[in-house]
């Protein structure tokens, strides 16, 4: 199993909406590196759900429901893909970007190194550290 982080502006698509809809196809990714990460996702992989821009915090855990498929929001024949995600659980406490940056265990976290990328890999030990921070 691999671990991932996806970013969404809460004003555009919040964790609350994601839970109310019981999941979504993660569409609209138009960056080749992020697309490649979507293609690497497999059913059962766990995904941190990050509210970007206004909140800048990890707020929940989702799960990959199926492999990547053509993104219905893209032009037919384009290289863009989407991945179905479903909610697993909210974090008891959101983990802010400041907390992530302050934790020595997360110094190599892709979110910190590649802050503009919307779909990022997370190492298992980083995933566990973020869950620990969110449990406090």
């Amino acid at each position: 199993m691999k671990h991932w982080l996806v970013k969404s502006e809460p004003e555009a698509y919040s964790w609350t909406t994601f839970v109310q809809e019981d999941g979504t196809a993660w569409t609209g990714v138009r960056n080749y590196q992020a697309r490649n990460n979507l293609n690497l996702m497999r059913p059962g992989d766990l995904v941190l759900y990050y509210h970007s821009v206004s909140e800048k915090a990890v707020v929940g855990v989702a799960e990959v429901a199926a492999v990547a498929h053509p993104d219905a929001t893209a032009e037919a024949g384009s290289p863009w893909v989407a991945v179905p995600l479903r909610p697993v659980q909210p974090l008891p406490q959101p983990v802010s970007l400041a907390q992530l940056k302050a934790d020595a265990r997360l110094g190599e976290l892709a979110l910190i190194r590649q802050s503009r990328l919307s779909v990022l890999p997370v190492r298992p030990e980083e995933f566990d550290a973020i869950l620990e921070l969110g449990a406090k």
Side-chain angles (χ1 to χ4, degrees), residues 58-75:
V58 178
V59 296
V61 178
E63 181 179 32
V64 176
V67 296
H69 57 79
D71 185 338
T73 68
E75 281 187 37

Side-chain angles (χ1 to χ4, degrees), residues 17-127:
T17 303
F18 179 58
V19 170
Q20 288 171 346
E21 295 180 354
D22 197 30
T24 191
W26 205 256
T27 61
V29 173
R30 300 296 184 266
N31 171 285
Y32 284 99
Q33 189 175 358
R35 186 235 20 218
N36 292 345
N37 288 334
L38 288 173
N39 277 321
L40 292 171
M41 291 180 169
R42 295 294 173 258
D45 285 358
L46 295 177
V47 181
L48 297 169
Y49 197 104
Y50 181 83
H51 276 170
S52 61
V53 184
S54 58
E55 284 184 40
K56 296 182 182 176
V58 178
V59 296
V61 178
E63 181 179 32
V64 176
V67 296
H69 57 79
D71 185 338
T73 68
E75 281 187 37
S78 74
W80 307 117
V81 298
V83 170
L85 300 178
R86 62 177 163 245
V88 173
Q89 66 184 32
L91 293 185
Q93 296 293 320
V95 180
S96 71
L97 180 59
Q99 287 175 281
L100 297 172
K101 288 181 175 181
D103 194 305
R105 299 173 294 176
L106 302 172
E108 295 299 313
L109 184 67
L111 176 66
I112 296 168
R113 292 187 355 260
Q114 297 177 293
S115 62
R116 299 191 69 171
L117 203 56
S118 63
V119 181
L120 302 153
V122 176
R123 295 189 321 241
E125 61 272 17
E126 295 168 333
F127 186 87

